[in-house]
Amino acid sequence: MKKNIEMIKWKLCEGYFSIIGTNLKDEITFDELIFVSKVSGKDAEKIISKNSKDYNFIFLRILISKLDTQTLNEFKIDINEDTVSNTYEKILEGLTLRFESFLPYRQSFKILSQSSNVKAQNFLRLLEKNCSFVSNLLDIVEGRQNQTRKALMSIALNIVFLKAVNIFLTEKGNSLDSTIRFLDKDLRDFEDLGQMLGIIKN
């Protein structure tokens, strides 16, 4: 039963972002969503309300949860095979993989970010997801660590990531060049400060 619910949830999510990316709009009706997703209205109502006006956050949360799980699994495999990279390089790789997973949905993210009010609401609601991703990333990079040190690193990396999102949304096509350059610079600055304060190890 749970597996079936997850499948329905993901089909609706894919349908939602397909509509946004194709029609360049964020106002989507329930009937339009179930038609594109090929999900029955009865099944869809197990996940969402027919009269909901807040589909964007619901499906952003579903999408990012799935992408982050896939990204962290891929990153874990890469790290297990990496014996030479330092902490900075590993963190850069992890954040780069996350942006690469976001890339197919960039146009949709742009549409959902056109209103500064909606963008701010989504930012606040998804902050928990960003914190979780960064925390899991640090666990993979460094394993068990001092919780105070980890909390400081998490805050700093969240700031770096969220600033990079604005760069990501301005790039066109399939390019991530500006986003990666920004991450590289900000993470190097963070690394220098972190090493000076003893927060980051080589």
Side-chain angles (χ1 to χ4, degrees), residues 87-152:
T87 297
Y88 153 77
E89 292 165 338
K90 291 174 181 176
I91 290 173
L92 177 60
E93 180 184 353
L95 294 181
T96 298
L97 286 174
R98 194 181 194 206
F99 276 112
E100 287 176 351
S101 77
F102 287 179
L103 195 53
Y105 303 94
R106 176 153 61 194
Q107 185 60 49
S108 298
F109 290 167
K110 287 181 180 181
I111 300 298
L112 294 176
S113 300
Q114 285 180 343
S115 163
S116 57
N117 183 46
V118 172
K119 185 177 181 180
Q121 287 178 17
N122 287 334
F123 159 72
L124 291 172
R125 289 161 152 182
L126 291 170
L127 187 59
E128 179 187 350
K129 287 291 176 191
N130 289 329
C131 290
S132 175
F133 178 85
V134 168
S135 178
N136 287 322
L137 179 72
L138 290 173
D139 285 342
I140 295 171
V141 170
E142 297 193 325
R144 298 184 65 178
Q145 54 193 292
N146 178 278
Q147 290 303 304
T148 300
R149 177 174 169 275
K150 180 181 176 182
L152 291 173

Side-chain angles (χ1 to χ4, degrees), residues 44-57:
E45 287 192 275
K46 296 174 183 175
I47 312 297
I48 56 174
S49 167
K50 188 172 184 177
N51 300 313
S52 175
K53 302 296 183 183
D54 200 18
Y55 290 151
N56 60 1
F57 173 64

Side-chain angles (χ1 to χ4, degrees), residues 23-38:
N23 299 328
L24 305 181
K25 65 174 187 175
D26 62 351
E27 293 183 5
I28 298 169
T29 67
F30 181 84
D31 290 339
E32 186 179 14
L33 180 57
I34 62 173
F35 176 78
V36 171
S37 305
K38 295 180 171 59

